[in-house]
Amino acid sequence: MGALGAFEAVRRETKFAPADLTTVDADGTFSGYASLFGAADLARDVVVPGAFAASLRKRGVRGIRMLFQHDPALPIGVWSTVREDRRGLFVEGRLTPEVAKAREVLALMRAGAIDGLSIGFRTVRGRTDARSGVRRLHEIDLWEISVVTFPMLPDARVTSVKTDSGLAARLRAAARAIRR
């Protein structure tokens, strides 16, 4: 079984959150919230504080992938920070300009065409309230956080995207190298 098959063999879930990218800077670095504590998403799931703690200790920031549209064949960058704070799951990462899809994602972010974040995870411990149908997620095994088109959690947002004036030149050089 290949890496993709192993990835798909484990039941995983995804949750989406929109991102507000009013100013997109050139180096592809951005930050925001991939999940908000206490907020019900469109599937009626609510993440509780501490739900990511064990997974973050186990995997560390380097063990959580940045993907496009939850596709394990489309890594687009790296996370530099993934941590819980009192609001939710705060993330900061950088799109990798040497990757064609990352350059496309950056262009789409700048245009406002892609503005979502989504978590890919496995529920370790959760409880559904029989009366309300709301599922409280107490422990989550976080695998990846994706930049997506359609978010599930309407209130989670990217809060900033940084610029680097040298990135445009690096992007052009990377594109030329790929064409050779």
Side-chain angles (χ1 to χ4, degrees):
M1 178 181 309
L4 181 57
F7 184 78
E8 291 174 341
V10 176
R11 178 165 156 50
R12 69 181 173 101
E13 301 174 59
T14 57
K15 296 294 175 192
F16 302 91
D20 180 16
L21 303 174
T22 54
T23 59
V24 178
D25 294 332
D27 83 343
T29 299
F30 62 96
S31 63
Y33 284 87
S35 180
L36 297 172
F37 296 138
D41 68 15
L42 299 176
R44 301 176 61 120
D45 281 346
V46 174
V47 177
V48 302
F52 298 101
S55 185
L56 294 176
R57 276 191 308 274
K58 175 184 169 187
R59 293 186 189 282
V61 70
R62 293 291 182 200
I64 298 165
R65 303 296 177 226
M66 180 190 296
L67 303 178
F68 180 61
Q69 306 288 12
H70 296 292
D71 187 337
L74 293 175
I76 57 172
V78 294
W79 297 110
S80 57
T81 302
V82 179
R83 73 169 186 270
E84 286 191 5
D85 64 18
R86 55 184 193 163
R87 185 171 181 215
L89 186 66
F90 176 81
V91 297
E92 184 173 61
R94 185 181 64 80
L95 296 168
T96 304
E98 297 81 11
V99 174
K101 183 55 73 179
R103 291 192 304 273
E104 293 173 18
V105 168
L106 180 58
L108 290 167
M109 285 176 145
R110 283 184 167 157
I114 292 185
D115 62 356
L117 290 176
S118 176
I119 59 174
F121 65 96
R122 182 180 61 84
T123 300
V124 175
R125 194 167 43 92
R127 173 170 288 170
T128 302
D129 181 275
R131 288 182 7 142
S132 68
V134 171
R135 181 172 69 153
R136 296 203 175 279
L137 301 174
H138 294 276
E139 187 176 348
I140 289 173
D141 183 15
L142 182 64
W143 289 23
E144 54 93 5
I145 302 166
S146 285
V147 176
V148 298
T149 307
F150 298 107
M152 180 69 80
L153 183 60
D155 293 330
R157 305 275 178 190
V158 167
T159 55
S160 72
V161 181
K162 298 178 184 175
T163 62
D164 173 4
S165 58
L167 181 66
R170 290 196 310 274
L171 289 174
R172 285 190 298 275
R176 281 192 303 270
I178 291 169
R179 285 189 294 252
R180 291 183 194 154

